Amino acid sequence: MRAAAMGLLCLTMSVGAAFAADEKDEAAKPDVPNLYLDLRTTYATIPAGTLGIGFGNTSLSAAFQALAARRGTTLPNGLPAAKSIAVDLPLTVDVSDRVSLYGGVSGSTTDIGGGWSAFDITSWNIGVQADLYQQNGGKIPTITLQSTLTQSVPNEQGMTTSFNNILEFDYALDEDETRGWLAGVQYTHTDIASQLASIRPNTILYAGGYYQWPSNWKFTGRLGVQSFGGAQIAGRTLAESFTQPILRLDLDRMDDNDNRLFGITAQIAWMPKPSYQLTLRTPLYAVRN
């Protein structure tokens, strides 16, 4: 039995050495994951009487929702039109080519007709983005799930907590994944720390596509329908519900390893009046593989 055990151990070590040699022949994986501050600066306009603001931006949404909840009782004619500038500072770690973790704070300044407010920290967020399945040249598209928890600050009556989930399907048309089709759904649920106010969910269904040139510039377009359930406070409507089109266009500059170097996003969402949003992404890398 001892001899058999020794033989099995030797066989296991030989097989392990063979696999190790095969892996060594492949491209060596970096010892340290990507680490960067995914700096995003957003300018947005919101029509009067609504809160839904489209793709992603839960930090900006949290700022508007908390502001609406705190001031709702003092706005007898409903929510006025607003403009906002928000800066998101999530520290991001690409754990692998399939999983990224992030968390940070966001600050914003808002103008609801009386001039711009002081710029202040208005929310914090944590989240994860993971490829549940990767296409890798097959017939089944890459399936990506992104989940973000965002809470407005300060921690007081009327603060909001948002859960934002995006499930996206990416079907690449070539081996290098430089062009393909997209489809997905985004669902946002928001809780308010108030017994008098409530915000109903926001859902977006969309489809689109992307193309990346040899120069590593990448264009992505998404067209969909956004459905917002509205908001109530003290038994009256604070923001109207709506179901309207939404369009998002992204232009990104990538490196040879598909790390984003710069990005600009333009979005138009009808609520039913159009809301405009422009976002600049300027990642600050501590480690870039």
Side-chain angles (χ1 to χ4, degrees):
M1 292 178 64
R2 183 178 302 173
M6 289 299 296
L8 181 59
L9 177 60
C10 291
L11 178 61
T12 303
M13 293 178 65
S14 299
V15 173
F19 275 115
D22 290 340
E23 291 177 357
K24 190 174 181 179
D25 290 338
E26 298 177 356
K29 295 183 179 180
D31 294 330
V32 181
N34 281 354
L35 178 64
Y36 56 99
L37 198 64
D38 194 12
L39 176 61
R40 300 190 296 266
T41 305
T42 301
Y43 171 79
T45 65
I46 307 295
T50 191
L51 287 176
I53 62 168
F55 287 103
N57 306 294
T58 55
S59 59
L60 189 58
S61 177
F64 277 118
Q65 291 164 353
L67 180 66
R70 287 195 293 267
R71 297 190 176 183
T73 55
T74 63
L75 297 172
N77 297 322
L79 296 175
K83 296 178 290 185
S84 181
I85 297 175
V87 177
D88 296 326
L89 297 167
L91 181 64
T92 305
V93 181
D94 293 338
V95 179
S96 68
D97 63 344
R98 301 184 66 153
V99 179
S100 295
L101 305 175
Y102 53 89
V105 297
S106 303
S108 65
T109 174
T110 305
D111 180 8
I112 58 173
W116 291 94
S117 64
F119 186 88
D120 202 358
I121 300 298
T122 48
S123 67
W124 60 264
N125 64 80
I126 57 173
V128 59
Q129 179 173 312
D131 289 345
L132 305 181
Y133 179 85
Q134 291 185 328
Q135 182 178 354
N136 291 330
K139 298 299 183 181
I140 301 177
T142 295
I143 304 173
T144 302
L145 175 65
Q146 181 179 4
S147 296
T148 307
L149 167 66
T150 304
Q151 188 174 94
S152 65
V153 295
N155 189 347
E156 62 182 19
Q157 183 75 7
M159 77 172 189
T160 65
T161 302
S162 296
F163 302 89
N164 188 67
N165 294 286
I166 302 173
L167 185 65
E168 185 169 86
F169 299 85
D170 176 351
Y171 185 80
L173 298 174
D174 60 355
E175 185 178 353
D176 293 332
E177 299 182 352
T178 58
R179 54 192 177 92
W181 300 109
L182 298 172
V185 57
Q186 173 181 303
Y187 179 81
T188 306
H189 175 80
T190 303
D191 289 321
I192 300 182
S194 172
Q195 296 182 350
L196 299 177
S198 64
I199 296 178
R200 293 180 179 172
N202 187 66
T203 304
I204 300 176
L205 296 173
Y206 65 90
Y210 59 90
Y211 183 85
Q212 184 170 333
W213 286 269
S215 60
N216 285 334
W217 283 98
K218 182 178 182 180
F219 174 78
T220 306
R222 294 175 176 87
L223 177 63
V225 176
Q226 178 178 206
S227 180
F228 175 55
Q232 292 77 36
I233 189 167
R236 64 184 179 88
T237 298
L238 182 65
E240 296 286 349
S241 61
F242 63 84
T243 300
Q244 295 289 337
I246 183 170
L247 173 66
R248 170 175 164 174
L249 305 174
D250 296 87
L251 182 64
D252 296 295
R253 171 65 171 171
M254 316 296 286
D255 67 8
D256 291 336
N257 295 312
D258 279 342
N259 297 307
R260 181 183 287 104
L261 303 178
F262 169 81
I264 183 170
T265 299
Q267 176 181 283
I268 304 176
W270 286 263
M271 304 184 176
K273 293 183 178 180
S275 167
Y276 302 98
Q277 192 173 121
L278 184 67
T279 301
L280 296 178
R281 298 186 70 168
T282 50
L284 304 176
Y285 285 89
V287 177
R288 177 161 63 95
N289 297 305

